[in-house]
Amino acid sequence: MSTNHKLTATSRKIEGKGASRRLRIAGHVPAIVYGAGEAPQAIQVLHNDILLGSRFESFYSSVIDLTVDGKLQKVLIKDWQKHPFKQLMLHMDFLRINENEAVRVAVPVHFLNQEKSPAGKTAGLVISHNLTEITVSCLPKDLPEFIALDLVDLKAGDIVHLSDLKLPAGVEIPELGLGKEHDVAVVTVAAIQEEVDPAAEGGDAPAEEKK
């Protein structure tokens, strides 16, 4: 089960670019919380609280206890907007959840023991991580912080598909229910293809063949 992070927010009534700019200058992040059959609510969260939470990888894929004006709500971070080069969060969307209903969340994949595998110890092989996060479906209480993929037995030519992942109890990958063509590769191992210089093997080819 993933870590349950906590945030405190207050409601805001004044919206618009000017109001949002003033909030950011004052050290707050403008945000919206919506879902679960309730009306969307404009809120503001301390920017430092967001920075502290984002130090954890699980922050963006975990259930968060969001207290707004003293009322506790269970939410997920649904979307966010960051400054293109500053460590600054510009806006966030929070989705209310029902603890008795399944949620779909993209969680990171942790690749374990790759350097200990036969492929990792073999020169001339490229190990590609084709997917670094997986969308899973589960009840909020079963939401994992990450999916662990042990690559200790990985060797040349191997392909690890979505269906090869070992999932925690109660967790599913919805994409696998759409057909075999959706069972995509998570990890692949391929040999490096070196280009051969014809001049190095047999000298320069003649400019024109003699007839």
Side-chain angles (χ1 to χ4, degrees), residues 48-198:
N48 282 346
D49 290 348
I50 298 297
L51 285 183
L52 287 173
S54 63
R55 292 165 56 189
F56 299 90
E57 180 188 44
S58 61
F59 183 63
Y60 293 97
S61 58
S62 294
V63 173
I64 296 174
D65 284 343
L66 177 65
T67 302
V68 181
D69 297 338
K71 179 184 177 182
L72 176 64
Q73 307 178 57
K74 299 285 188 178
V75 302
L76 292 167
I77 296 175
K78 193 63 176 178
D79 197 9
W80 63 89
Q81 181 185 355
K82 291 183 178 179
H83 193 279
F85 56 87
K86 295 181 181 179
Q87 193 178 14
L88 182 65
M89 187 69 73
L90 301 177
H91 191 274
M92 300 188 74
D93 289 354
F94 295 97
L95 175 67
R96 300 185 190 98
I97 61 171
N98 184 329
E99 293 185 273
N100 297 313
E101 294 180 358
V103 294
R104 291 193 180 195
V105 182
V107 298
V109 180
H110 285 189
F111 302 94
L112 309 178
N113 300 315
Q114 176 174 302
E115 69 284 353
K116 298 179 181 179
S117 69
K121 295 178 180 180
T122 303
L125 295 180
V126 175
I127 301 173
S128 300
H129 299 166
N130 302 310
L131 296 177
T132 56
E133 62 179 22
I134 304 293
T135 296
V136 300
S137 175
C138 61
L139 290 175
K141 69 179 182 65
D142 296 323
L143 184 60
E145 291 188 2
F146 59 87
I147 299 297
L149 176 54
D150 193 347
L151 300 177
V152 70
D153 296 321
L154 195 68
K155 58 186 183 299
D158 278 355
I159 300 177
V160 181
H161 292 87
L162 282 176
S163 59
D164 297 318
L165 298 178
K166 294 181 179 179
L167 303 175
V171 179
E172 299 178 346
I173 299 177
E175 197 169 3
L176 291 177
L178 301 177
K180 291 183 178 180
E181 65 275 15
H182 293 273
D183 189 12
V184 298
V186 180
V187 175
T188 55
V189 184
I192 298 174
Q193 299 293 328
E194 295 185 1
E195 294 186 3
V196 179
D197 184 355

Side-chain angles (χ1 to χ4, degrees), residues 16 207-208:
E208 183 178 350

